[in-house]
Amino acid sequence: MQGEDPFDQGAGSILRQPKAVWATAGASVVAFMGIGLVDPILPSIAKGLEATPSQVSLLFTSYFLITAVAMLVTGFVSSRIGGRKTLLAGLALVVVFAALSGTSSSVGELVGFRAGWGLGNALFVSTALAVIVGAAAGGSSAAILLYESALGLGMACGPLVGALLGDASWRYPFFGTAALMAIGFICITAFLKEQPRPARKTSLLDPIKALGHGGLASVATSAFFYNYSFFTILAFTPFVLNMTPYKSGAVFFAWGLLLAVFSVLVAPRLQERFGSLKVLGASLVLLAIDLLVLGYGDHTTAIVCTIVSGAFIGMNNTVYTELALGVSDAPRPVASAGYNFVRWFAAAAAPYLAPKIEEWSNIHIPFVVAAVTAVIGAVVVWIRRSALTHEAAELEPKHATEDSVTVFAD
């Protein structure tokens, strides 16, 4: 709630959580590591499997395309077998398909195994957020910050682990992820008890129906365009930088650290001071400017802008997550599924389209397109600001009027 510090050492502190929450958050770190894991080894994979950049980019496309579609299934499954079993099923799929990815003999096989990995990750990640929100001490705000902390840490560590293991062979990061997720499976089994099931079972169409709410649809639409910008940086920039796995891993590790710091420490304070929508709009515009400088700058400038983009991405991720969960009256797992269903399609499109756009034009234009999509995301927020401010009851500045309301009021 407004004025509360989730890092306060009291009972509601983000740092004082049940073992089940820490086990789920720890496994979430590894799950998010899987997204950025392949970043520093993309050129190595292309060389090892004799594939083009656009073919290798399908590793992201297949992963997120399946993830997007699977979002319609996660609530259906978890409301029937329970959150714990859904988490374990997702982890088991990731372990199997991550290990199989390391055995691939062609880019087609690797793309297929990444798709299976995406299904497991969708089951795990979407359910993990609901489990953390349900089990965490300190209310929704502390739970979301904990989830965003796991996301940021995973995003930071993924490229580093990918670089360290991938320097010997591009196959090792996949085997390493399988081993870490197996440990996560054991931790969830040991520490997480079955969560209460919802009174009403979720249907496959519930996330789509939830998008009928104007506020949630607006957040999802804005996030769709933002995600295109986000994953242009994540999936296309490694080819532009063209560095060794170690150097590329170091760049994206720094990027991930900024993402984590700004999502967990900076974004909440800026939201409290200026309001969520102003922070989101400004961050999207700054991301667009950063993308243009990245696209037209020299190699050193591109490295700096890649790292700096982590700050804007971190802030955006936190605000979008809060808005998606609080903007409608739909159950949080259903709202999250509908929101993610829309936005992950952009994450699937960007890795494939960015290298194609370069082939059709030049190396600058993919970043111009990504900058434009970030601005479109900001425009959607601006146009829909009245509905979003009213429906989401967003965090207002400290000097707001008496009749303002706060996000996630308990």
Side-chain angles (χ1 to χ4, degrees):
M1 292 178 67
Q2 185 173 330
E4 292 182 353
D5 185 356
F7 289 92
D8 182 83
Q9 292 302 307
S13 169
I14 189 178
L15 301 177
R16 294 192 176 186
Q17 301 295 341
K19 289 181 180 179
V21 171
W22 286 118
T24 307
S28 297
V29 171
V30 182
F32 288 120
M33 280 174 55
I35 296 177
L37 183 82
V38 298
D39 252 33
I41 57 172
L42 285 174
S44 300
I45 293 174
K47 182 178 180 181
L49 296 179
E50 299 180 350
T52 65
S54 60
Q55 288 176 320
V56 173
S57 69
L58 290 174
L59 295 178
F60 285 99
T61 298
S62 63
Y63 181 89
F64 287 116
L65 187 61
I66 296 300
T67 297
V69 176
M71 285 299 164
L72 300 180
V73 180
T74 55
F76 177 86
V77 173
S78 64
S79 66
R80 284 163 174 76
I81 68 173
R84 182 175 182 272
K85 291 179 181 177
T86 304
L87 289 177
L88 292 175
L91 285 169
L93 285 172
V94 172
V95 170
V96 170
F97 284 103
L100 288 173
S101 295
T103 67
S104 301
S105 58
S106 69
V107 70
E109 280 187 10
L110 185 52
V111 168
F113 292 143
R114 280 281 286 182
W117 187 341
L119 174 60
N121 220 47
L123 288 171
F124 176 81
V125 170
S126 63
T127 309
L129 176 56
V131 168
I132 290 175
V133 169
S140 300
S141 296
I144 289 173
L145 284 181
L146 185 61
Y147 181 79
E148 291 297 335
S149 299
L151 187 155
L153 187 58
M155 286 290 199
C157 292
L160 193 62
V161 172
L164 293 174
L165 296 178
D167 188 59
S169 169
W170 64 263
R171 299 179 186 274
Y172 291 168
F174 297 111
F175 295 136
T177 300
L180 289 172
M181 287 305 254
I183 294 173
F185 185 97
I186 294 171
C187 290
I188 295 292
T189 302
F191 297 115
L192 180 64
K193 296 179 180 179
E194 186 54 80
Q195 303 296 298
R197 301 183 191 181
R200 175 181 171 274
K201 292 181 179 179
T202 303
S203 75
L204 292 174
L205 293 180
D206 278 353
I208 300 296
K209 293 177 181 177
L211 290 169
H213 185 281
L216 182 60
S218 299
V219 174
T221 300
S222 177
F224 172 87
F225 289 106
Y226 155 66
N227 261 36
Y228 185 93
S229 307
F230 177 1
F231 284 92
T232 295
I233 294 173
L234 192 63
F236 181 64
T237 304
F239 291 107
V240 176
L241 298 180
N242 193 27
M243 303 165 75
T244 64
Y246 274 130
K247 291 181 179 179
S248 183
V251 168
F252 279 95
F253 176 69
W255 168 86
L257 283 181
L258 274 185
L259 188 154
V261 169
F262 275 76
S263 65
V264 177
L265 299 178
V266 179
R269 287 161 175 77
L270 291 178
Q271 285 176 271
E272 186 177 1
R273 182 179 178 89
F274 299 107
S276 297
L277 299 187
K278 289 181 181 178
V279 171
L280 181 58
S283 183
L284 287 168
V285 171
L286 290 172
L287 177 62
I289 295 171
D290 183 79
L291 280 161
L292 289 176
V293 177
L294 193 163
Y296 284 93
D298 58 21
H299 191 260
T300 301
T301 302
I303 292 174
V304 172
C305 287
T306 298
I307 294 172
V308 169
S309 70
F312 307 126
I313 289 170
M315 287 193 290
N316 293 338
N317 287 348
T318 293
V319 180
Y320 274 123
T321 301
E322 290 190 356
L323 287 175
L325 293 186
V327 76
S328 72
D329 56 0
R332 285 180 179 132
V334 174
S336 176
Y339 161 73
N340 282 301
F341 171 71
V342 174
R343 74 181 184 113
W344 286 128
F345 277 111
Y352 178 74
L353 289 178
K356 285 294 184 183
I357 292 171
E358 181 198 11
E359 292 174 10
W360 299 332
S361 53
N362 58 59
I363 200 169
H364 309 297
I365 303 303
F367 295 102
V368 174
V369 173
V372 170
T373 58
V375 171
I376 293 174
V379 169
V380 171
V381 170
W382 174 257
I383 292 174
R384 296 290 297 166
R385 65 190 183 281
S386 296
L388 289 173
T389 300
H390 173 70
E391 298 290 349
E394 67 162 347
L395 287 169
E396 295 291 341
K398 287 183 177 180
H399 56 273
T401 57
E402 293 281 338
D403 59 350
S404 66
V405 286
T406 56
V407 71
F408 297 129
D410 294 321

